[in-house]
Amino acid sequence: MSDNISAPSPLLAAMEVRAVYERAQMSALLPALRRLPKGDGHPVLVLPGFSASDRSTAPLRDLLKRLGYRTYGWGLGVNVGPTSRILEGLVDRLDRAHQRRGEPVSIVGWSLGGIYGRELARARPTEVRQVITLGSPIQMIAADSSTAQPMFETLRKYHSPEFDRPTRESGRPLLPVPSTSIYTQTDGVVSWQACLVRRAPTSENVRVFGSHCGLGFNAAAITVIADRLAQPAGTWKPFSAPWYLRGAFPPSTDLDTSRGPHFAVA
């Protein structure tokens, strides 16, 4: 049995076309989504996935702004991976958002953006309120693979060695701030098991139906994001869907650290 995490099947990769329909569904459901819990005005930094830019997160940022948050894109162009420019720019972006509002920043990161967000929380725990990830393969290391791996490998020569991940997230200390990992078991880009976090008093996994490339438009995922952001500072508790929406949230699974890199779930 391999010790590496494999990419999703070709069938799941082909099913990523569903993202188009998830984007259309978000537009259709906007009147309902705008009735989600209102925010307290705290800053929210939204980070795009690999090969994407702020354009991909614009619909989500616009909705969060309407819900009462001060939203920030990352302003670093296309996410080509952890180059020195991007890593330095992320820290600067977080510092600026924190200084402008004078309060901790919530980070919403899609895929690789979520990995960036978690590293920012480790580096600047007093500046980060919580981290919410969307299909982020936080357990992956360089030896693992994903559907996006060929493109990532092509660009690896430009990446900072400081961002190398020799140890899986499961072997590191828990994140110093609350975290929520939103994932789908039909992810066609990364292994869904690699997206799981260790369940703890301030960390959780929430499963939704959908595609990897549509998570930022997924109505169920957006419902979770709005619920997490609306919690008063210092009062974090796990997500619990209202009874009339429970069908949109299949049972989630938790990381079983005793099963090694295959991340079989308990």
Side-chain angles (χ1 to χ4, degrees), residues 24-43:
Q25 183 185 57
M26 179 185 178
S27 295
L29 293 176
L30 271 179
L33 294 174
R34 289 170 180 165
R35 299 174 70 87
L36 289 169
K38 300 297 182 181
D40 59 5
H42 81 266

Side-chain angles (χ1 to χ4, degrees), residues 94-146:
L94 174 63
D95 288 346
R96 288 175 178 268
H98 176 253
Q99 291 165 6
R100 286 176 184 174
R101 302 292 298 181
E103 57 184 317
V105 180
S106 286
I107 301 176
V108 179
W110 194 345
S111 197
L112 179 57
I115 294 175
Y116 292 153
R118 291 177 65 91
E119 293 304 318
L120 284 173
R122 291 189 186 280
R124 295 281 202 278
T126 61
E127 296 184 16
V128 177
R129 178 162 165 166
Q130 66 178 311
V131 179
I132 303 169
T133 58
L134 301 170
S136 297
I138 64 170
Q139 300 296 345
M140 284 187 68
I141 57 176
D144 300 326
S145 62
S146 70

Side-chain angles (χ1 to χ4, degrees), residues 87-189:
L87 296 180
E88 292 169 5
L90 282 166
V91 173
D92 180 68
R93 192 64 166 163
L94 174 63
D95 288 346
R96 288 175 178 268
H98 176 253
Q99 291 165 6
R100 286 176 184 174
R101 302 292 298 181
E103 57 184 317
V105 180
S106 286
I107 301 176
V108 179
W110 194 345
S111 197
L112 179 57
I115 294 175
Y116 292 153
R118 291 177 65 91
E119 293 304 318
L120 284 173
R122 291 189 186 280
R124 295 281 202 278
T126 61
E127 296 184 16
V128 177
R129 178 162 165 166
Q130 66 178 311
V131 179
I132 303 169
T133 58
L134 301 170
S136 297
I138 64 170
Q139 300 296 345
M140 284 187 68
I141 57 176
D144 300 326
S145 62
S146 70
T147 302
Q149 198 69 15
M151 184 186 300
F152 193 86
E153 290 299 328
T154 298
L155 296 169
R156 187 182 289 277
K157 60 186 176 182
Y158 302 110
H159 298 166
S160 172
E162 296 178 6
F163 202 77
D164 284 347
R165 297 162 56 84
T167 303
R168 298 191 188 280
E169 186 72 9
S170 59
R172 303 174 71 188
L174 289 169
L175 213 63
V177 302
S179 67
T180 298
S181 174
I182 302 172
Y183 72 98
T184 168
Q185 286 193 2
T186 54
D187 195 309
V189 177

Side-chain angles (χ1 to χ4, degrees), residues 5 136-140 144 190-197 263:
I5 298 175
S136 297
I138 64 170
Q139 300 296 345
M140 284 187 68
D144 300 326
V190 301
S191 165
W192 67 268
Q193 291 96 334
C195 299
L196 300 179
V197 297
F263 302 105

